[in-house]
Amino acid sequence: MTLDPLLDPVPPTHAELPSPGLRRNRAFMLLWGAATVSVFGSFVTRIALPFVAIETLRAGPIEIAALRAVDLVAALLVGFVAGAWVDRLRRRPVMIWADLGRAALLGSIPVAAVGGWLTLAQVLLVSSLAAVLTTFCDVGDKAYLPTIVSRAELVRANGALAATSSAVEFLAFGAAGFLVKLLTAPIAIAVDACSFVVSAMFLGG
C-alpha cells in the first residue's frame, strides 16, 4: 500500500472520492477513514525507521539493508498462509488487533529511545513483526470490504481506497521528512503508533 521511500513519489493524477452511495454507507466510510490514517502513519515510519537506525544507533549500510529486508521477508513468508488463516476468523477483529499490535510495537521504539535502551535488535524485531501484522490487516481488509459494500459498488469502493492511498502516500512523503526533522526519528514513529490507534477506533465503530 505504500511507496518505497527510496524512490521519488509520483503525484496522483486523480483522487477518486467515494460516491454518494458509498458516503451513505457508514461502515465503508469508517473503513476508508481507518485506511487513510494508517497509510499516512505507515509511510512516516517507512521514512523514519532507517533514520532511527542511522542517527540513534549509528547503523551502517549492512544494518540498514538488513532492516529493509526483514520486513519484506516477514511479509512474504506470512503472506502464503495469511489468507487461509483470515478466512477462518472474523475479519474486523483481525484488523483491529493488527492495528493495536502495530501501535504497541512501534510505540516501544520512542519509549526505548527516550529511556536510552533502544537497540538495533529491537528495531529489527519491531520492523518484522509489524510487517507480519500489516500483512494480516491487508488480507483482512480485502476480505472484509465485500461484506460491507454491495457488488455494484465494489469496484468504485476499491477505486476510492486505492486513489486515496496514493494521494496520502504522496502527501506523507513530505510530511515524514518534516516530522523527522522537527521531532527526531524515534518520536516521529510515535505519530505512526497513534495513527494505528485511531485506525482501530474507526474500525471499532
Side-chain angles (χ1 to χ4, degrees), residues 106-118:
L106 294 168
S108 71
I109 290 181
V111 170
V114 171
W117 59 77
L118 182 66

Side-chain angles (χ1 to χ4, degrees), residues 70-71 74 101-102 105 123-135:
V70 290
D71 61 340
R102 287 182 290 180
L105 286 168
V123 174
L124 291 171
L125 182 63
V126 167
S127 180
S128 59
L129 292 179
V132 169
L133 293 177
T134 296
T135 301

Side-chain angles (χ1 to χ4, degrees), residues 53-147:
I54 294 170
E55 295 181 353
T56 306
L57 303 173
R58 307 302 180 193
I62 295 178
E63 289 85 355
I64 298 302
L67 178 62
R68 186 72 179 96
V70 290
D71 61 340
L72 296 176
V73 173
L76 179 63
L77 292 177
V78 175
F80 289 116
V81 296
W85 286 348
V86 170
D87 279 343
R88 294 177 172 85
L89 303 170
R90 295 176 59 198
R91 278 77 170 190
R92 191 162 66 102
V94 167
M95 293 187 291
I96 292 173
W97 283 110
D99 276 343
L100 294 177
R102 287 182 290 180
L105 286 168
L106 294 168
S108 71
I109 290 181
V111 170
V114 171
W117 59 77
L118 182 66
T119 64
L120 184 61
Q122 179 184 348
V123 174
L124 291 171
L125 182 63
V126 167
S127 180
S128 59
L129 292 179
V132 169
L133 293 177
T134 296
T135 301
F136 275 99
C137 191
D138 288 345
V139 172
D141 177 80
K142 291 179 176 59
Y144 181 59
L145 185 62
T147 69

